[in-house]
Amino acid sequence: MNQNSLCLYDKVVATRDAIRARIGDRAPVIGLVLGSGLGGIATAAEDAVTIPYTEFEHIPRSTVPGHAGTFVFGRIAGVDVAIMNGRTHYYEGHDLADLTIGVRAMVMLGCKAILLTNAAGGIHTDHRPGDLMCITDHINMQWVNPLRGPADDRLGPRFLDMSLAYDRELRGILAKEAAARKIKLHMGVYAAISGPSYETPAEIKAMRVMGADAVGMSTVHEAIASRHAGARVIGLSLISNLAAGIEDAALSHEEVTATANRVADRTIDLLVGFLPKAAKELGKVRKKA
Ligand code: HPA
């Protein structure tokens, strides 16, 4: 059979099965997607099984420096995790739905929550490079949706409610862990553009008026797909630079990765603290909303 003719559900199942064949009966409860500079948390995973994306037929490959492109399955602070160390972006030319196969496979493996991290440009005037922002909501300025295409109830509902996409309880846990470490954690709205060019100053002004606090080139399609698959979502942006036009300086990928690397240790410590508390929350029976 021509593999390209497989539907999205089949591709996710094939990926889940290929992972299962490698990790045996491990049962990850939280899936992580690591953005620029945050790959270090994968090295904190104990008893880890690392598998490059290239071993999976349906996972699009990443070509961006700073994005490793490996799955890591292991335990962090006693929590079984699945990690996507490095992501492939829409601007690399892939179909948006294909870019969600990894998170969907993690949910199919049993992950009850997906933690999405990214590097982002700060739009809010309080943001400084190196700050962290917990995502409370998003604005999808990629103007494409990963659920576009044939309806498939096996993947999730046709019309997905997004009114509480970023989980309130998990946000509260992250905020508590940040406060315990005296880490400033902004709460804010993440806007996604398709990239790869950065925004113009006029676009940033428009985004601010629209209610965006930070901007990046990822995350929203993964949040949509994770919710679609039935997982809870928590998002963390590392503010790697001030968005275009705020300072009289050009933006560069080098600046983004350098800032992300500078504050990586602190961020990793925060996430290591977050994971066991989050796992406890996920073990709870959920009250009806
Ligand atoms: N804009 C878009 N994406 C980004 C930025 C930015 O300023 N910084 C890091 N990713």
Side-chain angles (χ1 to χ4, degrees):
M1 189 181 188
N2 175 357
Q3 295 299 308
N4 288 328
S5 69
L6 289 184
C7 68
L8 182 62
Y9 177 80
D10 292 338
K11 290 179 186 176
V12 177
V13 169
T15 305
R16 190 265 323 261
D17 291 348
I19 293 172
R20 187 51 82 203
R22 293 291 303 273
I23 68 168
D25 59 3
R26 284 164 192 257
V29 289
I30 302 182
L32 289 75
V33 181
L34 305 181
S36 295
L38 290 175
I41 194 168
T43 59
E46 291 165 13
D47 195 18
V49 176
T50 301
I51 320 172
Y53 296 159
T54 47
E55 286 195 20
F56 300 100
E57 181 156 13
H58 306 296
I59 300 283
R61 284 116 179 78
S62 172
T63 57
V64 184
H67 286 262
T70 52
F71 272 110
V72 179
F73 299 88
R75 249 189 331 278
I76 299 179
V79 180
D80 265 300
V81 292
I83 301 174
M84 294 188 77
N85 189 8
R87 57 157 68 82
T88 308
H89 295 77
Y90 182 54
Y91 59 72
E92 293 174 72
H94 304 282
D95 185 87
L96 203 58
D98 284 342
L99 290 176
T100 68
I101 291 171
V103 289
R104 287 185 183 281
M106 293 198 291
V107 179
M108 236 185 229
L109 282 163
C111 291
K112 292 194 174 73
I114 301 292
L115 166 64
L116 301 171
T117 66
N118 59 54
I123 295 177
H124 195 289
T125 50
D126 286 349
H127 287 185
R128 298 287 171 269
D131 285 356
L132 296 174
M133 184 189 88
C134 176
I135 302 176
T136 55
D137 204 345
H138 75 220
I139 304 174
N140 183 0
M141 299 181 75
Q142 298 190 329
W143 312 128
V144 280
N145 193 296
L147 308 187
R148 180 174 176 271
D152 190 336
D153 292 344
R154 297 171 299 178
L155 289 169
R158 171 79 300 186
F159 299 106
L160 177 69
D161 175 47
M162 288 291 287
S163 48
L164 251 184
Y166 296 85
D167 195 271
R168 231 182 234 150
E169 282 83 10
L170 295 177
R171 274 193 256 153
I173 292 169
L174 190 65
K176 245 193 203 164
E177 290 302 307
R181 288 165 176 74
K182 298 195 170 25
I183 294 174
K184 183 161 64 172
L185 182 68
H186 301 284
M187 294 282 155
V189 174
Y190 175 89
I193 54 145
S194 43
S197 60
Y198 290 109
E199 309 69 41
T200 63
E203 286 168 339
I204 292 301
K205 274 190 200 154
M207 288 182 194
R208 180 177 286 141
V209 170
M210 288 171 74
D213 298 302
V215 58
M217 303 176 190
S218 67
T219 303
V220 300
H221 60 287
E222 296 154 348
I224 294 169
S226 302
R227 295 296 299 135
H228 192 235
R232 294 163 73 175
V233 169
I234 171 99
L236 181 68
S237 291
L238 192 161
I239 305 300
S240 53
N241 58 283
L242 298 185
I246 297 179
E247 287 180 311
D248 194 14
L251 305 189
S252 74
H253 183 63
E254 289 68 32
E255 177 194 3
V256 168
T257 44
T259 309
N261 290 335
R262 177 166 63 77
V263 296
D265 286 353
R266 216 167 37 129
T267 314
I268 290 166
D269 177 57
L270 170 63
L271 295 180
V272 169
F274 167 79
L275 287 170
K277 309 275 168 49
K280 200 164 159 212
E281 162 66 25
L282 296 168
K284 280 192 206 162
V285 180
R286 200 123 199 250
K287 293 188 287 285
K288 266 231 173 271

